Amino acid sequence: MVNEYIQSNKQRFLDELFDWLRIPSVSADSKHKNDVRKAAEFLKEKFIAAGADKVELCETKGHPIVYAEKIINPALPTVLVYGHYDVQPPDPLNLWNSPPFEPVIKNEKIYARGACDDKGQVYMHVKAFEAMMKHNTLPCNVKFMVEGEEEVGSDNLGIFVKENKTKLKADIILISDTAIISLDHPSITVGLRGLSYVEVEVTGPNRDLHSGVYGGAVANPVNVLAKMIAALHDENGRVTIPGFYDKVVELSVAEREALNRAPFDLNHYKKELAIDDVHGEKGYTTLERTGIRPTLDVNGIWGGYTGEGAKTVLPSKAYAKISMRLVPNQDNQEITELFTRHFLSLAPKSVKVKVTALHGGQAAVTPTDSKAFTAASAAFEEVWGKRPIPTRDGGSIPIVALFKKELGLDTVLMGFGLDSDAIHSPNEHYGVKNFLLGIETIIAFYKHYARS
Ligand code: BES
Ligand code: MN
Ligand code: MN
């Protein structure tokens, strides 16, 4: 019955999602402030149309949070669905094959910024809810909380959660904002990395100088920054910050073996990224490097002249944005402090260095023996015909750890994206099949969860 409903309404579901994807809800860019709100209002209307009660925009210091609920019986359990309607900036625009906010389907994939991360995945929940309401089969209570600031650190959501514990009372958090291994190998994410994100500024002389007149005699902040960054890893690919690994929990041999049993084809991985070799911390596999090991990467670096042609200049300043992905037990604030102390110590006297913490969050591991995990597992088995494999993802959703800390709630990370969906990158896309199977799997989750 539900499958028929999904099949016969498929085109409408996609049309609605496309309308939503056309709204450029880029949370990082203040010129899109109104678009972000428009995307929130759009979602609010869809929740009302689907049959939710108490649908509201909750104002914050930043972008609004969309809240909706359907309480069918207070004695029944409550699922709290979290997601985000904000998207990453679409640049570099020239690398998109079709405009980021004009969704199109090519090869059965929806191409648009936010198609997978996370509007497409949130919309599966809206349509799953609609289908259950239409057929009177919603088996428990549900609350939805969809924020507009995930891609910029969820600071205001953190405040909202702390201030609205009663409103958010639930039994389990359900999130679709992660990936499966492949369509042939469904999986459930059981670990996310934490994050410490900093910006560094290196200042040399008080103004840009002629690189011939002064070059060689005055420290060039770009040269210095490059050297400082290079010093952050040793020859084994380990991060050199003193204390960086102190709190990292080493997995047992058995745990590492289990993790490496997940299907993973290194050749395919390299081919898909057009690289001849992978890279990383010595002694660990690729799956371990992204799943259970902390890492450090420069996300952007700039300074001096970057326009067309040549300009001979010794710049006054150089900058970099650096992210550190963290694993359970590492504290992001502590890591930011360790980074800052170490980075300052690397600076020669000829420059001044400033480190600014931008945002961060703790890693999370979710239990695999809970009622909700068992229900998610059963839902995948029912819809995909295969038992899902537990995986540790390299990305971060900092609010997951906060949900545990503030609300005492565990999360089930039932995402349906693929690593190859190019999230945060040009030509982001999401499989139509993933979208439709996702709706089905979510509905099956409720059924199994309410039964148990
Ligand atoms: N949905 C992603 C996180 C993700 C992606 C988890 C793939 C697992 C697999 C989320 O929207 C995201 O991009 N998070 C940011 C962190 C945030 C604080 C900016 C990230 O991981 O960079
Ligand atoms: Mn996301
Ligand atoms: Mn994202």
Side-chain angles (χ1 to χ4, degrees):
M1 196 164 64
V2 157
N3 287 356
E4 253 169 58
Y5 185 77
I6 296 173
Q7 280 313 319
S8 54
N9 288 278
K10 170 183 162 181
Q11 195 52 50
R12 177 173 59 84
F13 289 0
L14 289 170
D15 288 345
E16 290 172 7
L17 173 60
F18 275 36
D19 284 342
W20 200 27
L21 290 169
R22 282 191 195 97
I23 308 171
S25 47
V26 182
S27 51
D29 189 343
S30 56
K31 84 169 187 284
H32 284 297
K33 195 166 183 271
N34 284 332
D35 295 316
V36 178
R37 180 169 295 272
K38 260 190 232 162
E41 269 155 11
F42 181 99
L43 183 61
K44 178 184 160 189
E45 293 310 316
K46 296 302 173 194
F47 274 129
I48 293 172
D53 302 328
K54 271 203 194 167
V55 189
E56 52 183 340
L57 289 198
C58 305
E59 296 300 332
T60 72
K61 269 193 228 151
H63 303 301
I65 295 160
V66 183
Y67 179 84
E69 63 175 45
K70 186 76 201 177
I71 306 298
I72 58 166
N73 176 353
L76 288 172
T78 302
V79 176
L80 173 57
V81 177
Y82 161 82
H84 62 96
Y85 66 84
D86 64 324
V87 302
Q88 284 277 322
D91 4 356
L93 284 171
N94 60 320
L95 294 183
W96 284 78
N97 297 323
S98 56
F101 299 109
E102 293 173 29
V104 287
I105 293 184
K106 267 183 294 181
N107 304 323
E108 291 300 300
K109 294 178 187 85
I110 306 158
Y111 282 82
R113 171 57 86 231
C116 171
D117 185 12
D118 184 30
K119 281 167 160 173
Q121 299 211 58
V122 166
Y123 215 63
M124 299 180 313
H125 283 272
V126 183
K127 295 297 105 174
F129 174 65
E130 176 192 304
M132 290 186 286
M133 289 300 289
K134 276 266 151 48
H135 297 96
N136 234 323
T137 55
L138 179 67
C140 61
N141 306 312
V142 59
K143 296 177 176 177
F144 297 94
M145 177 170 66
V146 185
E147 69 156 319
E149 301 191 328
E150 196 275 345
E151 300 291 10
V152 290
S154 302
D155 285 349
N156 289 310
L157 182 75
I159 298 170
F160 181 80
V161 167
K162 285 181 198 156
E163 288 174 354
N164 289 279
K165 292 189 181 173
T166 314
K167 186 189 188 87
L168 300 176
K169 206 170 171 303
D171 297 278
I172 187 73
I173 310 259
L174 180 62
I175 302 179
S176 297
D177 193 22
T178 50
I180 50 172
I181 297 172
S182 71
L183 283 167
D184 294 328
H185 299 288
S187 56
I188 299 178
T189 303
V190 295
L192 290 164
R193 288 197 286 184
L195 181 66
S196 156
Y197 200 116
V198 298
E199 183 170 321
V200 300
E201 180 192 272
V202 179
T203 306
N206 59 1
R207 60 193 163 89
D208 285 4
L209 305 174
H210 187 289
S211 66
V213 177
Y214 290 95
V218 175
N220 179 326
V222 179
N223 296 13
V224 172
L225 176 58
K227 196 169 168 190
M228 291 170 75
I229 287 170
L232 294 174
H233 287 97
D234 69 12
E235 67 285 0
N236 292 322
R238 279 174 71 89
V239 176
T240 54
I241 300 168
F244 187 76
Y245 294 96
D246 282 4
K247 296 203 171 155
V248 173
V249 189
E250 299 287 338
L251 265 65
S252 68
V253 175
E255 284 172 311
R256 287 180 66 180
E257 267 171 18
L259 190 142
N260 285 304
R261 244 179 272 129
F264 175 76
D265 181 344
L266 189 60
N267 280 324
H268 179 264
Y269 185 85
K270 290 194 281 194
K271 216 171 143 197
E272 206 249 327
L273 300 175
I275 52 173
D276 292 329
D277 204 358
V278 290
H279 159 96
E281 188 181 354
K282 200 173 161 189
Y284 294 92
T285 64
T286 297
L287 284 179
E288 290 172 338
R289 286 169 177 169
T290 58
I292 56 163
R293 298 301 294 168
T295 51
L296 180 150
D297 275 287
V298 177
N299 292 235
I301 181 163
W302 69 102
Y305 183 68
T306 56
E308 196 182 333
K311 177 189 178 195
T312 48
V313 64
L314 192 162
S316 164
K317 284 180 186 288
Y319 304 84
K321 291 187 191 279
I322 296 173
S323 70
M324 285 160 278
R325 296 287 167 171
L326 312 177
V327 297
N329 218 32
Q330 280 182 302
D331 178 76
N332 69 291
Q333 273 170 7
E334 189 183 333
I335 292 294
T336 301
E337 280 162 30
L338 293 177
F339 172 89
T340 306
R341 200 176 312 149
H342 181 59
F343 201 70
L344 293 177
S345 81
L346 291 175
K349 245 173 115 176
S350 49
V351 298
K352 293 178 194 70
V353 173
K354 197 169 103 191
V355 177
T356 310
L358 293 185
H359 59 63
Q362 312 286 28
V365 274
T366 61
T368 51
D369 55 1
S370 66
K371 250 174 64 167
F373 185 86
T374 310
S377 211
F380 267 107
E381 233 178 309
E382 180 182 325
V383 176
W384 300 63
K386 274 179 192 161
R387 181 178 284 270
I389 299 160
T391 58
R392 297 245 200 158
D393 284 6
S396 310
I397 309 177
I399 205 70
V400 172
L402 200 118
F403 283 145
K404 182 72 188 174
K405 183 166 168 244
E406 297 298 331
L407 303 175
L409 293 181
D410 285 317
T411 294
V412 173
L413 293 159
M414 206 165 71
F416 300 92
L418 297 173
D419 283 349
S420 55
D421 283 344
I423 63 172
H424 293 209
S425 179
N427 305 307
E428 173 176 354
H429 53 273
Y430 190 41
V432 174
K433 193 166 175 184
N434 300 57
F435 177 72
L436 298 172
L437 284 178
I439 299 174
E440 243 186 272
T441 314
I442 290 165
I443 295 170
F445 168 80
Y446 282 92
K447 186 180 78 183
H448 290 285
Y449 180 63
R451 232 185 234 166
S452 58

